[in-house]
Amino acid sequence: MNVGIVAQRDNPRAAALANEIRTHLDDAGVPTVVDETTAAQLGPDAEGVPVDQMAGRDLVVSIGGDGTFLFAARGAGTTPIIGVNLGEVGFLNAVSPDVAVETVDDVVRRLREDGRADTRSMHRLRARGDGWSLPPAINEVAVLGPQRGHGQGVDLEVTVDGATYTAGHADGVLIATPTGSTAYNLSEDGPLVHPDVSGLIVTEMAGESEMPPLVIDDESEIEVTVENANRAVVVGDGRTSESVTPPATVTLTRAEKSVRVAGPPLDFFAGLGKLD
């Protein structure tokens, strides 16, 4: 049994809570590691490893906001992850810091007793093109022209399972998971979608055709073809990106492996009440 802990960078409160959880688990005979940045804050007795090595643990604890959860989840792979919310909204983090230690303790106890914990799946989105692919995204993938604004953007065609949904000039197009519907998708006037819905959201960004957002089955294959621009960029969760040279086609599908989330379920509607 081994637990990995990832705390929000440059957040003393997150580091302190990481140390509290680490100390509690160590006292219970459960080995822990923290990410390298957190280890530097906690001192020489804290074992630090790169986040991409967290997949070898039995459980990963993310402490911070949604950005920290996305960062930790990329390293966790299919290892169950608990999100402790230190942010304002926290659509990815269901655990309050006040009950973080006891929640982690409960999940660890279940894992030690029968090797499993109750988890729920969070689907991810895969983007690929000619000779490249991005790491799976939890929230969204954006296909963007070289610059946003009037007279900028890119010509694009979006197809769903081979049928054309929209074609024309736009700043770009956003493909989001239900989990990501409250993030970038919402700021582009995309719809809110409950995380239990099995679907993908296609939202055109400042398109001249003004096509409304579309929710499709999550087994669908989406292709975005970009033309008439010197370059375009594909961005996953605002963190990973790939530049492409038009004409080029980006294929988007649901990733084979989902994120496994442990701990209590997220109160989606309570989170909506915190949106501006």
Side-chain angles (χ1 to χ4, degrees):
M1 184 71 200
N2 193 296
V3 176
I5 305 172
V6 180
Q8 188 175 44
R9 182 188 297 268
D10 298 326
N11 186 331
R13 186 184 177 201
L17 184 53
N19 193 48
E20 183 179 354
I21 293 172
R22 181 177 72 97
T23 300
H24 176 82
L25 292 177
D26 286 346
D27 290 345
V30 179
T32 61
V33 296
V34 297
D35 65 280
E36 291 175 311
T37 302
T38 303
Q41 299 180 68
L42 298 183
D45 64 329
E47 181 185 354
V49 301
V51 171
D52 60 10
Q53 292 184 16
M54 292 293 177
R57 315 298 155 182
D58 298 290
L59 178 70
V60 174
V61 182
S62 168
I63 306 171
D66 284 354
T68 305
F69 186 97
L70 292 173
F71 178 60
R74 287 208 312 275
T78 58
T79 298
I81 182 169
I82 295 176
V84 180
N85 183 35
L86 297 185
E88 293 182 1
V89 179
F91 279 103
L92 298 175
N93 302 285
V95 179
S96 163
D98 297 335
V99 297
V101 174
E102 62 188 79
T103 300
V104 171
D105 190 65
D106 180 63
V107 174
V108 166
R109 177 182 56 80
R110 293 171 183 265
L111 286 169
R112 296 179 86 177
E113 287 178 351
D114 56 20
R116 57 184 298 177
D118 294 335
T119 61
R120 61 191 185 280
S121 294
M122 188 179 290
H123 294 318
R124 299 187 293 178
L125 186 62
R126 171 76 73 178
R128 66 184 189 275
D130 185 12
W132 63 269
S133 64
L134 288 183
I138 294 175
N139 276 348
E140 79 283 313
V141 172
V143 182
L144 303 166
Q147 187 173 339
R148 299 203 63 176
H150 182 70
Q152 305 295 328
V154 65
D155 287 348
L156 55 82
E157 180 183 26
V158 182
T159 65
V160 178
D161 293 330
T164 299
Y165 158 61
T166 186
H169 195 80
D171 285 358
V173 64
L174 192 71
I175 297 88
T177 66
T179 300
S181 72
T182 56
Y184 196 176
N185 168 75
L186 188 61
S187 70
E188 293 293 335
D189 296 324
L192 288 171
V193 177
H194 193 279
D196 289 343
V197 172
S198 297
L200 297 173
I201 308 155
V202 184
T203 301
E204 195 173 36
M205 305 165 73
E208 291 181 354
S209 62
E210 297 185 353
M211 286 294 290
L214 176 69
V215 179
I216 59 175
D217 187 273
D218 65 358
E219 297 291 339
S220 300
E221 180 180 87
I222 304 162
E223 289 190 335
V224 180
T225 300
V226 291
E227 297 181 311
N228 294 331
N230 58 3
R231 69 181 184 91
V233 62
V234 186
V235 184
D237 283 341
R239 290 177 172 268
T240 59
S241 64
E242 180 75 27
S243 292
V244 298
T245 301
T249 298
V250 181
T251 302
L252 303 111
T253 55
R254 195 183 82 183
E256 181 180 349
K257 295 181 179 179
S258 301
V259 175
R260 296 170 59 203
V261 185
L266 177 71
D267 189 339
F268 176 73
F269 293 100
L272 293 182
K274 298 178 183 178
L275 291 173
D276 293 334

